[in-house]
């Protein structure tokens, strides 16, 4: 491979890693929910994209960064809704039932999006869209950089919340030992609901960021996002937030690497094979966190 | 029959079992006691195969089974019950028993009896042991619908039906009343009369002292005493482990007198 | 009339898909891979009849054997993990299969022209039924005949020791292995049999629709596959059939007059069924969703001393 090609490859990977923060956020969301409820919420990515769609309602009214904030907030609302409908009233010892209910929710959300937009992709505003920095032979896209920065901000915010606030303490307590947490006066269902809301914030941000990085929102995004999010969660280790972060960045970079080497249509095959290899050789993921989360 | 040679099991920094040497002789009823957290359940898991030892070896009937998977140990002849009842609650009583019956045939007929045997055969096989465990008439009841005492009996029957020469009973008396404990005592003796060996983990001292030939006491993952029940009961170290190593003789004597 | 025959054909194929998932779900494994085996059977049988001129019976048998064999091969590594990880592993496998077929381009010259899978354009011209003058009714009988055979097979398996062992493994793996049950053998056998059934279904599907492409075999199909036994109730084979008839027949085809709204309703309906009948329509007796204990303990992995509660 010539020097130019190598540079292009590195550029590709670099861009991928920055975009990987969206995967990291979705992965964190899946892992958070799994940590407290030991259940999978398959509708999570759909809700995140849905929140981004809803934030389009205010696009004409407020400046773009606030649109992202709006998406995050709406993500939280959707998160609470999903908890209420899919988890609150279902018996906890029927994991298949909750799995199916989230599948139902996923279908519902996706169809709702298709209905509302008549299936047409919608433009999503980006910040610093045309801006490009040059660092040596590499180009750094301004909009991707913003996405990356926003992602990091969200992760830092999450970490602070989990470690410094009472709410965060409750979330971690319920995740590790729900019976004892109840005995200490914590309401498990309230904590679960709040975890869904927090995961929703992250998801809404991720949805907004995906839209910003790609430039459009489309209902076709939901299924791939769900799959990638699950892949990230598993590679990072179920229940581990640092794992999800690193795995997200890795998957983002690797994805672009394979795309550069083998083209778009084959790229995902290799990402999936990588996942398989992980499951065979290191089923715990990068940071297996049995029971606990941090 | 069974030997634990300097077995250790560590979980990260915690030494659940630390250099344990233990022997179980053919045909005896061995009690395994110790305060909570002393490593009893871990020891049972090491024997039955749910854990592999961090160091040391587990030898059964002359064979080193330290790293043998659980189901193969069960097929070789080690059966167990669980502290928290783990029955197949959505299966009926006879299905629970049938599932645990270890078919030792080889070749095609052995394979056939393991996988393709019909339900009727299963029911017949189960009948044999239903009477032993006092569950006659409950053959078709779902295990989850049984009363607590009946569930305990089913657990014991499920362990016994495999024909295993070594039975590990993990706190079988927990939650039982006096009558049920007497029956349990009878059943354990009956098992020994069949030629089996029993390792009994228990907190219920009367049962242990009454039915066991020998007792091993654990504390902090180590063996601190071993011998005949009365001998162990009088051992000052054992008392210290259970009641606290205070030099407060008055308190100890008062508690023991109660 | 033709419309109803076509509908019944689709219901038949999906029933086989549901039955294949029933098998796997019985051992407690949630697998989203059935779509992948379906695809292998579809492309495999299609390629055998059109490109190699095989008769249908042999092609279908080969499709089932191939899918079943791959299921066993994939099952050994994949079934070492449980729960969510297995869901993801099987999803990954199904996606790999779909993408492989998306990229597969291989044609041979036949008297009817160039035939074979063509990457993203799919695989067309699977005209075995047409070429051999099968009527719609004949195809219908074939499909439902196979459904009956598979159901009889699974029903008898359920009554032998395999069925009991599968259920025991599905209930409590720790107790099962402590009772001498070989977990891997049980799980892989269920996975393999399920894969073979899905492969058979796929072979029927590709010949029924004459044109298949990668978009037919997405994760969505896999969720349908597990939805049927879950919604129908894992206890009974009939439940799966009922669920297929209901979902395919009533919802998707019967609500055509609702136009685009029916897909929305589908999602809402799944939610509703899960709320009211969490063990499935033909599962346990009816329970009200807002009444009664919710916090029932689930079994922990490995027994520990009482002081360390899970």
């Amino acid at each position: 491979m010539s020097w130019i090609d190598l540079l292009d490859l590195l550029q590709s990977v670099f861009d991928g890693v920055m975009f990987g923060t969206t995967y990291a956020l979705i992965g964190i969301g899946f892992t958070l929910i799994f940590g407290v409820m030991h259940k999978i919420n398959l509708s999570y990515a759909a809700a995140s994209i849905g929140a981004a769609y809803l934030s389009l309602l205010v696009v004409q009214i407020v400046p773009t960064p606030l649109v992202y904030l709006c998406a995050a907030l709406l993500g939280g609302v959707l998160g609470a809704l999903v908890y209420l409908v899919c988890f609150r009233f279902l018996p906890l010892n029927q994991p298949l039932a909750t799995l199916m209910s989230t599948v139902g929710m996923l279908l519902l959300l996706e169809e709702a999006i298709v209905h509302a937009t008549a299936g047409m992709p919608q433009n999503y505003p980006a910040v610093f869209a045309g801006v490009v920095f040059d660092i040596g032979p590499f180009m750094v896209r301004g909009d991707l950089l913003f996405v990356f920065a926003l992602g990091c901000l969200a992760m830092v915010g999450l970490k602070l919340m989990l470690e410094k606030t009472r709410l965060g303490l409750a979330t971690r307590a319920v995740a590790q030992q729900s019976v004892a947490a109840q005995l200490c006066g914590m309401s498990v269902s309230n904590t679960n609901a709040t975890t869904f809301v927090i995961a929703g914030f992250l998801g809404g941000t991720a949805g907004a960021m995906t839209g910003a990085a790609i430039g459009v929102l489309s209902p076709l995004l939901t299924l791939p996002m769900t799959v990638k999010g699950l892949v990230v969660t598993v590679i990072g280790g179920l229940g581990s937030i640092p794992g999800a972060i690193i795995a997200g960045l890795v998957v983002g970079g690797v994805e672009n690497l394979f795309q550069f080497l083998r083209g778009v249509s084959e790229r995902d095959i290799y990402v999936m094979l990588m996942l398989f290899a992980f499951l065979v050789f290191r089923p715990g993921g990068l940071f297996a966190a049995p029971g606990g989360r941090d | 029959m069974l030997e634990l040679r300097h077995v250790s099991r560590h979980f990260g920094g915690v030494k659940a079992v630390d250099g344990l040497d233990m022997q179980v002789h053919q045909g005896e009823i061995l009690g395994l006691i110790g305060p909570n957290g002393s490593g009893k359940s871990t020891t049972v898991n090491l024997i039955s195969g749910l854990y592999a030892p961090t160091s040391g070896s587990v030898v059964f009937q002359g064979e080193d089974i330290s790293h043998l998977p659980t189901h193969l140990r069960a097929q070789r002849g080690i059966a167990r019950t669980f502290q928290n009842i783990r029955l197949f609650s959505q299966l009926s009583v006879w299905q629970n028993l049938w599932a645990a019956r270890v078919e030792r045939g080889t070749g095609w007929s052995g394979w056939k009896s393991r996988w393709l045997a019909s339900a009727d055969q299963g029911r017949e096989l189960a009948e044999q042991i239903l009477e032993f465990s006092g569950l006659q008439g409950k053959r078709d009841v779902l295990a989850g619908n049984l009363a607590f005492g009946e569930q305990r009996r089913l657990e014991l029957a499920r362990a016994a039906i495999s024909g295993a020469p070594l039975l590990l009973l993990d706190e079988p008396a927990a939650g039982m009343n006096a009558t049920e404990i007497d029956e349990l005592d009878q059943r354990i003796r009956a098992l020994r009369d069949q030629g089996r060996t029993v390792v009994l983990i228990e907190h219920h001292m009367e049962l242990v002292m009454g039915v066991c030939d020998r007792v091993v006491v654990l504390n902090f993952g180590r063996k601190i005493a071993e011998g005949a029940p009365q001998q162990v009961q009088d051992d000052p170290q054992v008392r210290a482990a259970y009641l606290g190593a205070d030099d407060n003789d008055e308190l100890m004597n008062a508690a023991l007198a109660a | 009339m033709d419309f109803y025959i076509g509908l019944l054909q689709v219901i038949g194929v999906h029933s086989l898909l549901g039955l294949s998932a029933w098998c796997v779900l019985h051992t407690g494994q949630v697998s989203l891979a059935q779509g992948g085996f379906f695809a292998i059977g579809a492309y495999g049988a299609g390629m055998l009849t059109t490109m190699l001129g095989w008769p249908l019976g042999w092609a279908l048998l080969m499709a089932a054997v191939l899918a079943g064999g791959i299921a066993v091969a994939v099952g050994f590594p994949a079934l070492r993990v449980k729960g969510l990880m297995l869901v993801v592993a099987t999803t990954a496998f199904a996606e790999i299969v779909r993408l492989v077929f998306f990229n597969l381009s291989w044609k041979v010259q036949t008297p009817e022209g160039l035939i074979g899978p063509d990457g993203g354009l799919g695989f067309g011209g699977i005209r075995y039924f047409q070429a051999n003058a099968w009527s719609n009714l004949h195809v219908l009988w074939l499909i439902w005949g196979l459904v009956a055979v598979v159901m009889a097979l699974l029903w008898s398996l359920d009554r032998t020791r395999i069925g009991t062992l599968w259920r025991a493994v599905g209930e409590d793996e720790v107790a099962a292995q402590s009772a001498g049950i070989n977990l891997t053998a049980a799980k892989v056998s269920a996975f393999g049999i399920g894969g073979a059934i899905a492969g058979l279904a796929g072979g029927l599907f590709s010949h029924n629709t004459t044109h298949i492409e990668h978009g037919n075999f997405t994760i969505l199909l896999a969720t349908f596959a597990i939805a049927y036994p879950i919604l129908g109730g894992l206890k009974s084979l009939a439940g799966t059939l009922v669920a297929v008839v209901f979902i395919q027949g009533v919802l998707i085809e019967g609500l055509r007059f609702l136009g685009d709204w029916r897909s929305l309703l589908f999602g809402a309906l799944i939610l509703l069924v899960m709320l009211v009948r969490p063990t499935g329509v033909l599962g346990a007796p009816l329970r009200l969703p807002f009444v009664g204990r919710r916090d029932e303990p689930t079994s922990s992995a490995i027994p520990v001393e009482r002081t360390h509660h899970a």
Side-chain angles (χ1 to χ4, degrees):
Chain A
M1 203 193 299
S2 73
W3 178 241
I4 304 274
D5 285 336
L6 184 64
L7 281 184
D8 278 342
L9 175 73
L10 287 174
Q11 173 79 58
S12 220
V13 171
F14 184 67
D15 287 344
V17 168
M18 289 209 285
F19 186 70
T21 42
T22 53
Y23 296 148
L25 284 185
I26 300 273
I28 295 178
F30 272 121
T31 243
L32 267 180
I33 295 175
F34 187 82
V36 281
M37 298 206 68
H38 298 286
K39 301 265 168 33
I40 320 154
N41 173 12
L42 279 181
S43 64
Y44 181 60
S48 308
I49 304 275
Y53 265 99
L54 283 175
S55 71
L56 281 176
L57 292 171
V58 296
V59 138
Q60 307 291 346
I61 314 175
V62 297
T64 316
L66 284 186
V67 175
Y68 299 156
L69 186 65
C70 203
L73 292 172
L74 287 166
V77 169
L78 276 178
L81 191 68
V82 168
Y83 175 71
L84 209 61
V85 174
C86 298
F87 288 88
R88 178 78 174 81
F89 300 109
L90 275 163
L92 287 181
N93 61 351
Q94 295 275 2
L96 285 180
T98 47
L99 183 71
M100 270 336 286
S101 66
T102 59
V103 169
M105 194 54 149
L106 167 68
L107 293 172
L108 192 67
L109 284 172
E110 195 166 330
E111 283 303 312
I113 294 176
V114 168
H115 264 279
T117 62
M120 303 291 300
Q122 303 289 320
N123 286 327
Y124 201 79
V127 175
F128 305 126
V131 179
V132 168
F133 302 103
D134 283 314
I135 302 182
F138 296 115
M139 290 190 315
V140 178
R141 278 170 52 185
D143 55 350
L144 272 188
L145 192 63
F146 185 78
V147 159
F148 183 71
L150 193 59
C152 293
L153 197 68
M155 291 181 222
V156 168
L158 178 71
K159 185 170 165 63
L160 285 176
M161 192 231 56
L162 279 178
E163 290 182 2
K164 307 281 186 206
T165 66
R166 254 190 93 76
L167 174 63
L169 189 64
T171 314
R172 289 186 295 157
V174 168
Q176 291 174 23
Q177 203 37 279
S178 65
V179 175
Q182 282 182 325
L183 291 175
C184 293
M186 300 179 194
S187 158
V188 172
S189 62
N190 278 356
T191 311
N192 288 341
T194 329
T195 308
F196 267 78
V197 170
I198 295 170
F201 283 149
L202 293 175
T205 314
M209 284 161 46
T210 309
I214 301 181
V216 289
L217 283 179
S218 151
L220 293 175
L221 285 174
T222 52
L223 230 43
M225 276 283 253
T226 312
V227 173
K228 295 271 170 54
L230 288 175
V231 169
V232 164
T233 309
V234 166
I235 291 184
L238 276 180
S240 159
I241 295 182
I245 296 177
I246 297 188
L249 299 177
V250 166
V251 168
V254 164
E255 190 178 59
N256 273 20
L257 173 73
F258 287 132
Q259 178 167 329
F260 186 85
L261 292 176
R262 302 289 305 179
V264 162
S265 54
E266 282 186 24
R267 153 189 92 175
D268 284 340
I269 299 185
Y270 300 104
V271 176
M272 296 299 169
L273 282 173
M274 186 174 80
L275 171 73
F276 231 84
F278 252 94
L279 283 174
V280 171
F281 294 111
R282 221 198 145 91
L286 287 173
F287 298 95
R293 258 179 326 125
D294 297 326
Chain B
M1 155 165 279
L2 174 76
E3 210 184 315
L4 267 64
R5 296 184 188 153
H6 219 69
V7 167
S8 290
R9 171 70 209 192
H10 299 174
F11 293 106
V14 176
K15 296 187 181 149
V17 172
D18 193 17
L20 180 63
D21 284 298
M22 200 174 98
Q23 279 143 354
V24 182
H25 305 306
Q26 164 93 35
E28 74 172 342
I29 300 179
L30 179 74
L32 187 61
I33 65 175
N36 267 335
S38 54
K40 306 191 294 295
S41 270
T42 311
T43 305
V44 172
N45 288 342
L46 283 166
I47 300 173
S48 79
L50 290 170
Y51 294 145
T54 320
S55 66
S57 56
V58 179
V59 179
F60 179 61
Q61 293 183 328
E63 183 191 350
D64 185 354
I65 59 169
S66 313
H67 296 281
L68 202 64
T70 309
H71 70 275
L72 288 178
R73 298 194 200 196
Q75 288 173 15
R76 293 254 199 301
I78 302 178
R80 68 169 293 173
T81 63
F82 292 89
Q83 198 177 322
N84 306 323
I85 298 181
R86 297 187 82 121
L87 292 172
F88 305 124
S89 50
Q90 299 300 313
L91 293 182
S92 61
V93 167
W94 70 268
Q95 283 177 320
N96 267 272
L97 294 172
W98 194 30
R101 183 172 170 82
V102 176
E103 304 285 352
R104 289 203 174 76
T106 51
W108 170 244
S109 71
W111 190 86
K112 220 165 59 130
S113 63
R114 268 194 294 276
W115 295 97
L116 294 179
S118 76
D120 293 323
Q121 285 178 311
R123 285 200 186 88
E124 270 175 49
L125 285 171
E127 284 289 359
Q128 298 166 13
I129 204 167
L130 281 176
E131 212 192 298
F132 167 77
S133 40
L135 289 168
Q136 316 89 308
K138 304 270 180 183
R139 195 189 62 184
D140 295 316
V141 177
L142 285 187
N145 292 342
L146 290 174
F148 177 76
E150 292 169 327
Q151 287 184 340
R152 279 266 185 231
R153 275 183 265 153
L154 180 58
E155 266 237 333
L156 189 60
R158 190 179 62 177
I161 199 176
S162 64
L166 177 63
L167 290 166
L168 309 169
L169 305 179
D170 196 349
E171 299 198 33
M176 280 190 177
N177 60 39
T179 330
E180 291 168 329
I181 292 186
D182 274 334
E183 286 174 4
L184 179 61
D185 185 305
Q186 301 296 336
R187 287 208 186 86
I188 295 178
R189 290 179 199 273
L191 286 170
R192 193 253 296 276
D193 292 337
Q194 286 176 7
R196 309 207 209 207
T197 311
V198 177
V199 174
L200 177 68
I201 296 104
E202 248 313 324
H203 276 298
H204 197 277
M205 282 308 143
E206 273 180 40
L207 176 63
V208 171
M209 299 303 164
V211 83
C212 294
D213 303 321
R214 257 194 331 135
V215 174
V216 167
V217 187
L218 297 182
N219 198 13
F220 296 119
R222 295 204 189 94
K223 183 167 68 175
I224 60 171
E226 178 178 8
Q230 192 52 47
Q231 193 185 333
V232 160
Q233 200 170 28
D234 294 332
D235 187 322
Q237 273 202 305
V238 173
R239 291 179 158 188
Y242 269 99
L243 299 172
D246 261 288
D247 276 313
N248 200 336
D249 275 332
E250 275 179 35
L251 208 60
M252 267 216 289
N253 287 328
L256 286 171
Chain C
M1 188 57 201
D2 261 355
F3 171 72
Y4 287 109
I5 294 187
L7 180 61
L8 284 173
Q9 288 169 343
V10 169
I11 291 181
V13 170
H14 275 249
S15 300
L16 283 177
L17 200 57
L19 289 173
S20 99
W22 182 91
C23 247
V24 180
L25 280 171
H26 241 65
T27 55
Q29 318 296 312
V30 180
S31 154
L32 286 181
Q34 309 312 108
F37 302 122
F38 191 67
I40 291 173
Y43 274 88
M47 296 202 298
L48 285 172
T49 56
T50 59
M51 293 159 73
L52 292 179
W54 280 31
L56 183 65
W58 288 110
L60 285 179
L61 185 64
M62 196 56 179
V65 165
L66 188 65
I70 294 182
V72 169
V74 168
F76 271 109
L79 292 173
R80 285 167 46 177
V81 299
K82 304 190 237 296
L84 172 62
M85 315 240 276
L86 182 65
V87 172
V88 177
T90 49
T91 307
F93 168 73
E95 281 288 279
I96 292 177
V97 168
R98 181 183 68 83
L99 287 167
V100 163
F101 285 127
F102 179 57
N103 285 289
L104 179 68
S105 210
W106 180 26
K107 295 188 166 179
V108 289
Q109 187 69 257
T110 65
E112 288 88 17
L114 229 58
I115 294 215
D118 193 5
L121 293 176
F123 182 8
I126 309 176
R127 304 182 61 79
Y128 184 91
F129 288 141
Q130 287 75 3
N132 288 291
W134 284 59
S135 76
N136 254 350
L137 217 51
H138 282 147
V139 175
L140 188 65
W141 285 128
L142 174 70
I143 293 179
W144 279 95
L146 286 171
V147 171
V149 164
V150 169
M151 275 187 82
L153 177 75
L154 288 180
W155 186 81
S156 62
L157 270 185
D158 202 27
R159 285 176 50 84
T160 61
R161 197 145 185 268
I162 291 190
T164 304
L165 293 183
W166 279 358
R167 288 194 202 213
V169 169
E171 279 259 2
D172 191 329
E173 288 192 10
V174 170
Q177 60 180 322
S178 300
I181 299 176
N182 186 340
L183 289 182
T184 312
K187 291 200 251 187
V188 171
S189 62
F191 203 64
I193 293 179
I197 299 176
L200 178 67
L204 286 171
F205 172 71
S206 63
H207 286 87
N208 199 22
T209 57
T210 74
H211 176 104
I212 54 174
E213 47 129 26
H214 76 105
N216 293 125
F217 308 109
T218 60
I219 301 296
L220 213 54
L221 183 70
T223 54
F224 269 70
I226 59 168
Y228 299 136
I230 295 180
L231 288 181
L234 267 183
K235 289 283 184 74
S236 69
L237 283 170
T240 305
L241 216 56
V242 165
V244 178
V245 169
F246 186 63
I247 290 177
Q248 289 290 332
V250 175
L251 265 193
I252 294 189
E253 303 292 341
L255 292 180
R256 265 183 197 275
F257 65 91
L258 280 181
D260 292 322
W261 289 95
R262 61 194 157 118
S263 305
L264 256 179
L265 272 186
F266 181 46
L269 187 86
I270 293 186
L271 277 172
L272 197 65
V273 172
M274 283 296 103
L275 276 174
V276 175
R277 296 279 274 175
T279 48
V281 171
L282 288 186
L286 186 63
R287 65 182 295 286
L288 293 171
F290 308 103
V291 177
R293 289 192 44 149
R294 272 177 60 248
D295 299 299
E296 289 152 44
T298 54
S299 58
S300 57
I302 292 193
V304 292
E305 294 269 7
R306 275 252 180 77
T307 46
H308 310 128
H309 257 299

